[in-house]
Amino acid sequence: MIEPATVWETVRQNAPIPRGLQAALLVGSYARGWANEGSDIDVVVIGTARPAGDVNALPVSLDPPDVTFTGWYADSLGWEVKYWLTGQVEQMLDKVTWDSFEGNYVAGQRIIEQEELFLERLFTATPLHGALWLRQIQARLAESAFRALVVSRSLGNADKAIVDALGQAEAGDLTSATLSARSAYGHAVDALLESHDVYGSLTVKWRARRVQEVALPALPFTDYWAVETMAALDRDDLRAWVTDTVRRTRRLMMATEI
């Protein structure tokens, strides 16, 4: 496992550091202890000004409407540094207030994936600089409607996929119904995990890891893995698998609190 001090020193040597630096955070698989030889090292830097130098930009639904980033390779490792402004962080937190959530049920749809990914990673980030800033933002995020927002989204996706699965099965399209049922189950799993502050539905590749580590009584890993891998699927009786998976999905949805 790479040491935080080493990460920060490498970033300082290879990437511009903005004025008004508030925090620098190691995020993603390295922060969660899930990294492997193919994992990139992801760092987010928060400041009051943008960095000088050659950087790229990704669009966001904020003001300013983009987030800058830079990247490089060193010793076979990919490095990426994203630069967020403190004003952009405040705007994202404003999007997940309880007033916003309760006043407009679909308000969270204004958050695009890049923004949601930033917010969810704060829960598991390792501070390289600005530990106090991180603790303060984490506290505000924990008191916000972020959990309710993402749980509601995942439950809505699960419900839509159930409707698809049942409609496809009724029409005799059992192969499509099978995939829709599997998708519904995945969304329900995400919702249950998110209701326990275990986020990551935007990175499906880590779903099994999240299920395994949180070890919820309502979701034994062996049960989850059997559905995820379609272990019990009988190709001569797809309808039975669809029916059973929809039942399992609804059971998880009932066990999920918003």
Side-chain angles (χ1 to χ4, degrees):
M1 180 66 181
I2 192 167
E3 293 295 327
T6 301
V7 173
W8 185 222
E9 183 60 29
T10 302
V11 169
R12 289 169 61 88
Q13 291 175 0
N14 292 274
I17 304 301
R19 298 190 312 275
L21 176 67
Q22 299 296 302
L25 313 172
L26 177 64
V27 298
S29 58
Y30 273 95
R32 301 187 79 156
W34 297 352
N36 54 62
E37 290 184 359
S39 298
D40 291 339
I41 298 176
D42 297 303
V43 174
V44 296
V45 172
I46 299 94
T48 59
R50 294 201 153 177
D54 186 18
V55 292
N56 301 301
L58 292 170
V60 292
S61 56
L62 303 168
D63 181 22
D66 53 36
V67 55
T68 56
F69 70 97
T70 188
W72 67 93
Y73 282 91
D75 297 326
S76 300
L77 291 175
W79 292 71
E80 182 178 82
V81 179
K82 284 193 177 76
Y83 299 93
W84 295 88
L85 296 171
T86 53
Q88 291 177 317
V89 176
E90 290 298 325
Q91 291 171 57
M92 286 186 280
L93 290 173
D94 285 343
K95 290 184 179 186
V96 297
T97 62
W98 281 104
D99 285 345
S100 177
F101 178 72
E102 293 172 349
N104 179 5
Y105 190 72
V106 297
Q109 293 179 1
R110 294 183 291 119
I111 293 183
I112 66 172
E113 288 190 3
Q114 197 66 237
E115 298 161 17
E116 181 180 334
L117 185 63
F118 171 81
L119 290 177
E120 74 173 34
R121 283 178 160 183
L122 292 178
F123 286 97
T124 54
T126 298
L128 308 174
H129 175 86
L132 177 59
W133 183 93
L134 176 60
R135 289 197 299 272
Q136 292 173 337
I137 297 297
Q138 285 174 331
R140 292 174 61 186
L141 192 56
E143 294 173 357
S144 76
F146 180 74
R147 180 198 302 119
L149 187 153
V150 295
V151 170
S152 298
R153 187 268 318 282
S154 292
L155 287 175
N157 288 340
D159 191 58
K160 290 176 184 177
I162 286 176
V163 172
D164 286 340
L166 295 179
Q168 290 161 338
E170 180 66 22
D173 185 0
L174 293 174
T175 52
S176 295
T178 298
L179 295 179
S180 292
R182 183 173 181 264
S183 176
Y185 184 80
H187 287 306
V189 168
D190 287 339
L192 182 62
L193 294 174
E194 289 161 345
S195 72
H196 288 80
D197 295 321
V198 181
Y199 303 102
S201 60
L202 296 179
T203 48
V204 178
K205 67 181 180 179
W206 295 118
R207 183 184 286 153
R209 190 69 179 263
R210 289 185 290 126
V211 173
Q212 198 168 28
E213 290 202 352
V214 73
L216 296 174
L219 187 59
F221 183 79
T222 53
D223 291 357
Y224 155 76
W225 193 239
V227 178
E228 189 76 86
T229 60
M230 299 182 173
L233 181 68
D234 181 351
R235 296 190 180 188
D236 295 324
D237 190 6
L238 297 181
R239 189 181 299 275
W241 193 88
V242 170
T243 300
D244 181 64
T245 301
V246 167
R247 177 185 61 80
R248 291 172 181 269
T249 299
R250 285 174 167 161
R251 187 170 62 194
L252 288 181
M253 294 170 72
M254 291 294 293
T256 301
E257 296 184 9
I258 296 178

